Amino acid sequence: MNSYALTMILLSVLSQVAGQIWLKKALDSNSIASRQRKAVTFACAIAGLALSFFVSLGLLQKYDLSYYYPFQGLSVIIVTLAAYLFLKERITLQLSLGMILISAGVILVSAS
Amino acid sequence: MKPSTLPFLRSAYFLLLLDALFITASQVFLKIGATETARVPSVAQWLGFTGLYSNWVWVGIVCLILSFVCWMKVLRRMPLNIAFMLSNVVHILIPISCWLFLKEVITPTRWSGIALVTIGLMIVATPTVKLEERL
């Protein structure tokens, strides 16, 4: 797989994860953040999700759907790594096993 | 319709199935629309804006919205980790639809990759949901 496709796929998955996390934060009724802060977060969420959508549309113009869609599994890996980096969450054996399987699967698809 | 099917039609599982079907349909429609508009000259090809010229893409967007509505209803009746785990069925429905409707050629390598991704997602469904809740 060429580096263009890889970059675009990573961009689409990253922006989707970011968009979803921002959306959750913006809509969270238990959060103590101010109205303005939540509005900014909500705008970021829409931007992230829109970016992800259009990048994936661009990818679909070039590649098969069955080639592109399995990469959505990478979002789980990104969530796990983000939780590890920012929240110091432990990466359990279960998570490691799942991430290895997903990575192996994604590598196989990229070679197909 | 048999009386015994009615409870299923009202259940959260049916909504989850609808959600999966809407997602699958939306991806297929988006792909059809993307293929239609692939040759349209664009100022930024990496952003598929030209896809918006296709009606199929708009149908795909509507299906995405409908899937989101179903998903919200599902989450009111089912814990997120189970819903997320079951929703991974789309990773099987989509390649099958690609083969059936889009006539895509899916090699055994690709099927193996898809299988590994699906199994991996099922394994980490519950812990991932917990992590997402904390992020």
Side-chain angles (χ1 to χ4, degrees):
Chain A
M1 168 194 318
N2 61 54
S3 52
Y4 169 84
L6 187 59
T7 319
M8 287 301 126
I9 287 174
L10 284 177
L11 179 60
S12 123
V13 176
L14 267 166
S15 50
Q16 172 158 65
V17 170
Q20 281 172 342
I21 293 176
W22 277 323
L23 188 63
K24 198 173 66 75
K25 288 215 182 311
L27 298 177
D28 184 8
S29 44
N30 294 329
S31 156
I32 52 171
S34 68
R35 267 277 189 93
Q36 289 96 319
R37 181 121 181 235
K38 279 196 187 172
V40 168
T41 311
F42 186 74
C44 289
I46 299 298
L49 292 172
L51 177 64
S52 171
F53 176 76
F54 283 112
V55 169
S56 62
L57 200 49
L59 282 167
L60 282 179
Q61 284 179 329
K62 288 179 142 72
Y63 301 105
D64 279 352
L65 176 57
S66 58
Y67 182 78
Y68 161 75
Y69 199 77
F71 291 97
Q72 300 301 102
L74 292 175
S75 64
V76 156
I77 295 184
I78 292 179
V79 162
T80 308
L81 290 177
Y84 173 72
L85 286 172
F86 299 122
L87 299 177
K88 316 289 180 216
E89 287 285 341
R90 269 185 32 191
I91 299 188
T92 64
L93 193 58
Q94 186 179 356
L95 282 169
S96 308
L97 179 59
M99 292 204 293
I100 290 174
L101 283 177
I102 295 174
S103 308
V106 152
I107 290 174
L108 276 178
V109 171
S110 72
S112 76
Chain B
M1 196 176 297
K2 285 192 351 217
S4 56
T5 48
L6 277 173
F8 169 69
L9 290 179
R10 294 226 188 97
S11 74
Y13 292 104
F14 178 64
L15 280 169
L16 196 49
L17 179 63
L18 264 189
D19 167 67
L21 290 174
F22 274 132
I23 291 180
T24 308
S26 83
Q27 295 299 311
V28 170
F29 290 137
L30 286 173
K31 174 59 184 169
I32 297 177
T35 320
E36 259 186 4
T37 55
R39 304 249 178 269
V40 174
S42 166
V43 58
Q45 216 291 312
W46 61 284
L47 286 173
F49 284 136
T50 53
L52 293 179
Y53 286 130
S54 162
N55 291 332
W56 288 110
V57 165
W58 288 104
V59 173
I61 292 175
V62 166
C63 285
L64 264 180
I65 295 174
L66 289 172
S67 79
F68 186 66
V69 167
C70 287
W71 181 247
M72 290 290 113
K73 287 183 194 247
V74 164
L75 289 187
R76 277 197 215 127
R77 307 194 206 178
M78 203 191 275
L80 181 55
N81 51 348
I82 302 190
F84 182 71
M85 167 124 79
L86 292 176
S87 73
N88 285 323
V89 73
V90 295
H91 280 265
I92 304 176
L93 290 178
I94 286 180
I96 293 180
S97 305
C98 289
W99 173 73
L100 259 181
F101 302 119
L102 300 174
K103 309 293 177 213
E104 282 180 15
V105 170
I106 308 184
T107 61
T109 311
R110 194 176 286 184
W111 276 119
S112 321
I114 291 170
L116 284 178
V117 167
T118 312
I119 296 172
L121 285 172
M122 299 270 189
I123 290 180
V124 297
T126 314
T128 303
V129 157
K130 292 213 182 77
L131 290 181
E132 263 183 39
E133 271 167 21
R134 298 209 195 114
L135 270 173

